[in-house]
Amino acid sequence: PVSKPRIDPDQIPSPVAVQLADQKEWDQKPFVTSLRTCTTPLASSDFMAIDGGNCNPRFFRMTTYNLPNTDDLLNTSQLPMGLVIQPLAQLRADEAPIETVDFGDAGPARCRRCHAYINPYMIFTNGGQRFVCNMCLFENEVEPGYFCNLDMNGRRCDLDQRPELRSGTIEFAVPKEYWNKTPMAAAYVFAIDVSWNAIQSGMLQQCVTGIKNALWDANGVSKLAPGAQIGFLTFDKNVHFYNLSPGLEQAQMMVVPDVSDVFVPLSEGFIVNPEKSQIIVESMLDMLPQLFAENKTTEPVIGAVVQAVRMALENRGGKLILFQTALPTFGPGALRHREDSKLYGTDKEKTLYAAQDDFYKKLAESCVDAGLSIDLFLFPNAYVDVATLGCLSSITGGETHMFVNFNAARDGVKLMGDIGRIVTRPFGFNGLMRVRCSTGLRIAEHFGNFHMRNSTDLELAGIDSEKAFGVLVKHDGKLDEKTEASFQVALLYTTADGRRRVRVHNFSTPVTTLLGNVFRWADMDTTINFLSK
C-alpha cells in the first residue's frame, strides 16, 4: 500500500508567531474598516480602528470576509458562514466615539420594504430624490425634509454633515413609537442569600465588601450610570425587603414570610439613589453579617425573590444580581435533588443537563417582558442544579458565576472583581435586536443568551459590552461576485442612564467564486467562537 504523505511539523504555522506578527503590524498603523486590501486584525490583537463605512471588528466579525457565491462552494470549503456580533463592545480610548443622530418625531430614515435603516451603502438616485436599499434593492422616495442635491460623483452634497451616511456604526435617538414603556435609568437590585451556608462560608461578608467597592469610589461618588438606582433584598426561607429612604436614620427591614404568594411591601424606599442613600445603605450592608450570624435556616427560596423583583421593576427594568448558596427546595420553584452518578456515561446522562421543569423558564420569560436581566452567583458545596436555575440568566441575557466550595481567602478577590465589572460596564436593557442581510442570503439561526418569540427578533432583557451572539447565514440563491453582500445589525435598547436608542452596525463584504479566496480571508478565531456557540 502507498504510504500517506506525512505532514511536516515545520510547515505548520505557529499560532504564537502569527499573533505576534499581527500585533506588530497593528502597533504601527490604524485599521481602516473600509479598506479591502488588508485582512482584519486578529481578535487577540490590540488595534486602533477608523470607521470608514464598515463597522469596527469589535462589534462584528465574520468567519470569512470573502463570501462564497454559491452553497456548493461553501460546502466544498467545509467552513460555516457565520457572524459573531458584540453590539455594545467597548471601543479603545483613542477611537472615535459612536455618533448619535436625532431625526426628531419622524424617526430615522428606513427602507419602506425591508425596514433597513439608512446607511453608507444605500445609493441615492434621481438627483437625490430616491435611494436604493442595499438589502432588498427597493427604490425608496426620499422624504422632503431629508432631501439634498447630489454632486458630480452622485454623492450627497451634505455628506460631511450626515454621520449616518459615512459611519459603519451609528446610534439613532428614537421617538415614542419605538418605546414599549417610558424609558428610565436602570435599577440594580442585589438579592443576597443569608442562610446558614452563606454565613459559614464567609460568602456574605465578601459580598457586602464587594458590593460597597463596586458601587462607590473612595470619595463616595457612585460608579453607576447617571440616574441609575439600587435596591436590596436578603432571603432564607423568608424574603426580607429594606426601606433605604435617605430621610430615615437607619434601614427598615420588612419580612414577607408567605413566599407562596410574595408581594413587595413598600412602594417607596426600595429603589433609591446610590449617592443620597449611601450612608444608610452602607450601614445596612455592614449590619447583615451580625444580623444573620445565628441563622440556622438552610433552605434559601429563589423563585419568590425573582417574582418579587420582577413585580418591583415591572414598569422600569434593570438588573437583578442574585447570590445563592444551595438548591432551592422550598417555596415557588422548589427543586428536588436529582443527581445520580449511575447515569454518568449512559444515554440518560443528558437528562441531567436539561431543566427539571419549566417554572424557571416561564419566570425568566416574564422577566424579559419586564426588561429585567438576571446574573446568578452560585456558591454550592453540594448539588445545585445549574441546568434548571441557569434558565434565569440564559433567557434574560445575564450570566452565571460558579464558586464551588467558596473559600473567602481563595475566591474573595475574584468575586469582588466580578461584582464590580457587572455594575460598571456599559449596560443596556429592554432590548430587541434584528440582523438583516442582502438579497441572496438569509439568516438561519441565532446562538447566545436571549429569548425569541419569532424567527427574526432577539429579545434581550439585558445586554452589556461583553455579550456576543452567533448568527448562522445561509444562501438563498446564487450571489453575484460583482456586487458586495451587506449585513445590518439593529439593536433597539434603553441605555443604563435611561435613553431609548437604536444602535446600527453596517457591514459590506466582497463575494468570490474562488475557494482560495474563501480560505485566504477566513478568520479562524471567529470560526472557533462561532462553532463553540
Side-chain angles (χ1 to χ4, degrees), residues 164-439:
E164 72 275 14
L165 301 177
R166 298 191 319 271
S167 303
T169 295
I170 198 77
E171 281 214 335
F172 295 112
V174 289
K176 286 187 177 176
E177 67 196 73
Y178 289 77
W179 300 3
N180 58 355
K181 61 182 83 170
T182 305
M184 298 173 72
Y188 292 83
V189 176
F190 297 87
I192 308 170
D193 181 346
V194 290
S195 62
W196 188 82
N197 288 329
I199 313 298
Q200 296 307 309
S201 66
M203 180 278 275
L204 180 57
Q205 182 62 58
Q206 290 294 322
C207 271
V208 165
T209 310
I211 291 169
K212 287 198 299 184
N213 291 345
L215 292 179
W216 299 282
D217 64 17
N219 300 318
V221 177
S222 169
K223 294 182 186 177
L224 302 182
Q229 293 184 296
I230 55 174
F232 290 87
L233 300 146
T234 53
F235 61 97
D236 43 26
K237 258 188 169 177
N238 304 321
V239 183
H240 322 119
F241 292 81
Y242 296 87
N243 184 343
L244 301 165
S245 297
L248 298 172
E249 284 188 18
Q250 63 177 40
Q252 294 174 345
M253 183 165 96
M254 298 178 188
V255 180
V256 178
D258 183 7
V259 292
S260 60
D261 185 20
V262 74
F263 65 97
V264 183
L266 64 168
S267 58
E268 288 190 2
F270 175 52
I271 305 292
V272 293
N273 180 301
E275 289 183 353
K276 290 180 182 171
S277 295
Q278 182 192 1
I279 294 167
I280 200 166
V281 170
E282 286 194 326
S283 64
M284 180 273 295
L285 288 171
D286 291 337
M287 180 184 70
L288 292 180
Q290 288 84 41
L291 187 63
F292 294 101
E294 303 301 316
N295 195 354
K296 297 289 186 277
T297 309
T298 56
E299 299 173 306
V301 293
I302 183 173
V305 170
V306 178
Q307 287 173 337
V309 177
R310 186 189 65 74
M311 282 182 226
L313 300 183
E314 187 118 43
N315 299 317
R316 180 176 191 151
K319 184 174 278 294
L320 166 60
I321 301 161
L322 200 147
F323 302 88
Q324 169 92 3
T325 59
L327 187 73
T329 53
F330 180 77
L335 299 175
R336 58 188 169 78
H337 191 292
R338 59 171 179 156
E339 186 177 37
D340 185 352
S341 55
K342 295 193 194 77
L343 298 183
Y344 292 164
T346 69
D347 286 346
K348 290 186 176 177
E349 182 180 352
K350 63 175 180 276
T351 60
L352 298 176
Y353 301 104
Q356 275 190 40
D357 56 35
D358 63 358
F359 173 85
Y360 288 100
K361 179 173 180 284
K362 287 179 176 172
L363 181 55
E365 287 172 3
S366 73
C367 290
V368 172
D369 292 336
L372 176 64
S373 171
I374 301 172
D375 286 340
L376 293 177
F377 282 84
L378 301 175
F379 304 87
N381 50 20
Y383 178 70
V384 75
D385 201 350
V386 180
T388 305
L389 294 180
C391 292
L392 290 172
S393 53
S394 64
I395 291 173
T396 63
E399 52 193 43
T400 301
H401 299 257
M402 189 85 155
F403 293 86
V404 180
N405 296 324
F406 181 76
N407 177 308
R410 180 191 66 208
D411 304 321
V413 173
K414 182 176 188 313
L415 172 62
M416 287 196 244
D418 288 346
I419 297 171
R421 187 79 193 115
I422 281 174
V423 300
T424 54
R425 67 189 171 196
F427 173 66
F429 60 103
N430 219 351
L432 198 68
M433 187 173 106
R434 180 180 286 195
V435 184
R436 295 180 173 88
C437 56
S438 52
T439 308

Side-chain angles (χ1 to χ4, degrees), residues 101-154:
V101 178
D102 191 346
F103 277 79
D105 291 339
R110 302 177 71 172
C111 170
R112 289 211 178 88
R113 184 199 279 168
C114 71
H115 302 295
Y117 290 86
I118 192 82
N119 65 69
Y121 299 101
M122 289 187 173
I123 297 166
F124 286 84
T125 62
N126 204 5
Q129 293 179 23
R130 292 172 175 269
F131 67 87
V132 179
C133 174
N134 60 320
M135 298 291 161
C136 67
L137 306 180
F138 182 71
E139 198 169 14
N140 293 268
E141 294 276 342
V142 174
E143 294 288 332
Y146 195 55
F147 171 77
C148 179
N149 289 310
L150 305 183
D151 65 14
M152 303 283 287
N153 300 316

